[in-house]
Amino acid sequence: MNEGRLIEIVAFPGWIVGVSLNWGLYRCWVITPELVVLNDGEDYETSQMALAAGRALVELSLESEL
């Protein structure tokens, strides 16, 4: 069983964006200020693409709060 591994974590005020690697593909995930874990369900070829997707999730969430 492949558990995957954590590649990168970026913190924003109240938010955490992470990138993990599993089976050669990267995934993004976000922890909200309410400690809810979000994932877009997509696989990315590079960690940069996954991190950009995670940042976009944060930005969209912040925009919807305004």
Side-chain angles (χ1 to χ4, degrees):
M1 184 163 112
N2 187 348
E3 296 294 327
R5 62 185 174 141
L6 184 62
I7 300 296
E8 189 168 0
I9 293 179
V10 177
F12 296 92
W15 296 77
I16 297 173
V17 176
V19 174
S20 59
L21 176 63
N22 196 16
W23 297 103
L25 295 171
Y26 297 90
R27 285 201 146 188
C28 72
W29 48 269
V30 173
I31 300 175
T32 70
E34 295 80 22
L35 302 178
V36 175
V37 179
L38 304 174
N39 181 304
D40 66 358
E42 298 292 327
D43 294 320
Y44 298 94
E45 293 181 12
T46 68
S47 62
Q48 294 85 4
M49 291 170 66
L51 185 59
R55 286 181 178 166
L57 283 173
V58 171
E59 290 172 3
L60 288 172
S61 295
L62 292 175
E63 287 175 6
S64 69
E65 290 177 1
L66 297 176

